[in-house]
Amino acid sequence: MARSMAELLQQDMECEGLLECIHGLKQLDKECFQVMVESDEPLTIDDVAEQVDRERSTAYRSIQRLLQTGFIQKEQINYEQGGYYHVYYPTDPDQIASEMQRMLNDWYAKMGQLIQEFEDKYEHGEDTRVAAEG
């Protein structure tokens, strides 16, 4: 359930809160991301599932959310005898931060527009009320 902006501003938030606040990521998503950040090499879904102690299908869904938000990248590794598998690794933190800043700027511009629409809509109501009372 969405919380009000006032509630969000009053709570103590850490940088990981951005993952939830801006992208709607879940606790498991944050855990999977942390596992990938701490790894020295790209990981398979099976590797991540084992490290977060979840079923492969559950880890897969989390990894898909991380891919969609751009927090991780996917690379295909080909076997010499044919076939392939995928490994996953975190996106550069500067790139993630830039994207979150862009999203925040877009949100700020949209909120400014909505505030202006609110002011325009209800300012006329006050003018009408003053004229009726006069």
Side-chain angles (χ1 to χ4, degrees):
M1 181 172 161
R3 294 178 284 182
S4 72
M5 184 186 307
E7 290 173 317
L8 288 172
L9 291 173
Q10 289 175 2
Q11 77 180 29
D12 290 333
M13 186 178 283
E14 297 176 2
C15 67
E16 288 78 16
L18 290 173
L19 305 179
E20 178 184 349
C21 184
I22 294 178
H23 293 285
L25 296 179
K26 301 174 181 180
Q27 181 61 37
L28 178 60
D29 304 336
K30 292 186 269 187
E31 291 172 20
C32 290
F33 181 67
Q34 188 64 41
V35 162
M36 287 186 223
V37 167
E38 292 172 354
S39 176
D40 292 333
E41 57 189 39
L43 301 173
T44 65
I45 290 176
D46 291 330
D47 296 332
V48 174
E50 182 179 324
Q51 291 191 41
V52 297
D53 195 29
R54 297 293 179 98
E55 294 290 327
R56 185 183 196 284
S57 60
T58 302
Y60 176 81
R61 286 189 298 275
S62 184
I63 287 170
Q64 290 306 305
R65 285 189 292 273
L66 290 167
L67 276 169
Q68 289 172 346
T69 58
F71 279 81
I72 62 172
Q73 304 293 312
K74 175 170 79 170
E75 182 179 338
Q76 180 174 307
I77 306 294
N78 296 316
Y79 292 114
E80 287 183 22
Q81 63 273 34
Y84 63 89
Y85 65 99
H86 292 112
V87 292
Y88 303 86
Y89 57 93
T91 302
D92 175 31
D94 290 337
Q95 186 178 342
I96 294 171
S98 293
E99 178 60 21
M100 285 193 289
Q101 185 64 57
R102 186 196 62 75
M103 289 177 72
L104 179 61
N105 292 343
D106 291 350
W107 179 85
Y108 185 79
K110 179 66 175 173
M111 291 301 106
Q113 178 184 1
L114 290 172
I115 290 168
Q116 185 62 54
E117 289 175 13
F118 175 86
E119 185 178 16
D120 293 346
K121 180 177 180 176
Y122 292 105
E123 183 178 51
H124 298 331
E126 174 127 339
D127 293 343
T128 305
R129 197 174 333 115
V130 172
E133 292 173 0

